[in-house]
Amino acid sequence: MKKIKNVQNRPGFSICKFLYLIIFRVIITFPLQNLAAQTFLDSAIQQLKLKEHDTAKINLLNFISSEYSSLQPDTALYFAVEASLLAEEINYKKGLGYALLRQATIEVNRGQHEEAMEKLLKSNEIAEEIEDFDLLGFNYLKISLINRKEGDYFLAIEKILKAIDLFSLTSNKNGMSKAFINIGNISFLRGNYPASLNYYFEALKLLEQLN
């Protein structure tokens, strides 16, 4: 992973900078949801009626589940389960891997770590079999979140670094930005606010390149 320059030094980290970090952390960690986003989701759900029972429908189900994850977790879980059932029916391994990731995401948010880990490990097996490095990377990020929630910051960072290596193989800037946000969150929780701000800025630079 590339070395990140310090933009702040701990001795000079003022209360104003700390408050700025809090605001920045909220903005970059929780994307805004609005009426336009809901309208887009409604349109995507309507498209499901036109799709055959094929890979395109499974991909759409996983997409809808991902978008609903923070808005309506029960709805998100429904679509993820539908995606996994259909993927198993037509033996679409990639779709099944992402459906398991989507289900695990909801379970992690609910504190159901054991159930989530079981699905993530199964998704990892699929990802390794089909050599989907992005799926592997996102799985490691989710595992790192479980580690973080359970207080094992060292293991969490270890998993994040694995994810970054995997995302580097595919030049996945979205995945890398999420990884930097996760390290920033851990730095924040450990009280290392300058490092946290550094990682958030790195994430922001990657996100700007996607727009």
Side-chain angles (χ1 to χ4, degrees):
M1 187 181 72
K2 64 178 181 179
K3 184 177 180 180
I4 299 174
K5 298 179 180 179
N6 288 328
V7 297
Q8 302 290 349
N9 293 318
R10 184 181 293 273
F13 203 74
S14 67
I15 186 64
C16 291
K17 293 173 184 175
F18 176 75
L19 292 175
Y20 172 77
L21 172 58
I22 295 291
I23 296 171
F24 189 80
R25 181 172 186 263
V26 170
I27 292 174
I28 199 169
T29 307
F30 301 102
L32 297 176
Q33 303 292 344
N34 50 41
L35 181 60
Q38 183 59 55
T39 301
F40 180 74
L41 279 173
D42 291 340
S43 175
I45 292 173
Q46 289 300 316
Q47 290 181 40
L48 284 176
K49 301 176 182 178
L50 307 177
K51 297 288 185 182
E52 300 292 336
H53 279 41
D54 57 10
T55 58
K57 183 169 187 176
I58 295 168
N59 292 337
L60 186 56
L61 285 166
N62 279 327
F63 169 77
I64 294 172
S65 174
S66 176
E67 294 300 303
Y68 268 121
S69 186
S70 58
L71 288 172
Q72 300 177 29
D74 288 338
T75 302
L77 183 59
Y78 167 79
F79 285 111
V81 170
E82 287 295 303
S84 64
L85 291 174
L86 182 54
E88 288 180 330
E89 181 182 326
I90 67 173
N91 194 31
Y92 180 34
K93 293 181 179 180
K94 180 174 182 175
L96 177 58
Y98 277 96
L100 291 169
L101 170 61
R102 299 264 51 87
Q103 293 173 52
T105 297
I106 298 162
E107 290 172 343
V108 170
N109 293 339
R110 290 175 170 175
Q112 300 170 318
H113 295 171
E114 186 175 345
E115 294 89 338
M117 186 64 79
E118 181 180 344
K119 291 182 177 64
L120 288 168
L121 292 178
K122 184 176 180 181
S123 181
N124 262 4
E125 291 178 2
I126 295 172
E128 289 173 353
E129 179 183 349
I130 64 176
E131 297 185 344
D132 189 321
F133 300 123
D134 287 331
L135 176 56
L136 266 176
F138 285 118
N139 284 340
Y140 275 123
L141 285 186
K142 201 58 60 178
I143 292 172
S144 77
L145 182 55
I146 294 175
N147 298 146
R148 193 196 84 188
K149 286 176 176 286
E150 294 180 346
D152 195 335
Y153 295 149
F154 179 82
L155 190 58
I157 291 178
E158 182 181 287
K159 293 296 189 296
I160 295 172
L161 294 179
K162 284 186 177 180
I164 290 175
D165 287 340
L166 289 162
F167 292 137
S168 296
L169 295 174
T170 61
S171 300
N172 189 328
K173 294 180 180 180
N174 177 53
M176 292 183 71
S177 70
K178 292 179 185 298
F180 282 125
I181 290 172
N182 283 4
I183 298 180
N185 289 341
I186 293 174
S187 299
F188 183 90
L189 292 173
R190 298 179 68 181
N192 191 346
Y193 307 124
S196 180
L197 190 58
N198 288 335
Y199 286 115
Y200 290 149
F201 273 124
E202 284 295 314
L204 185 59
K205 285 190 290 185
L206 288 168
L207 290 173
E208 287 175 344
Q209 294 174 26
L210 295 175
N211 296 329

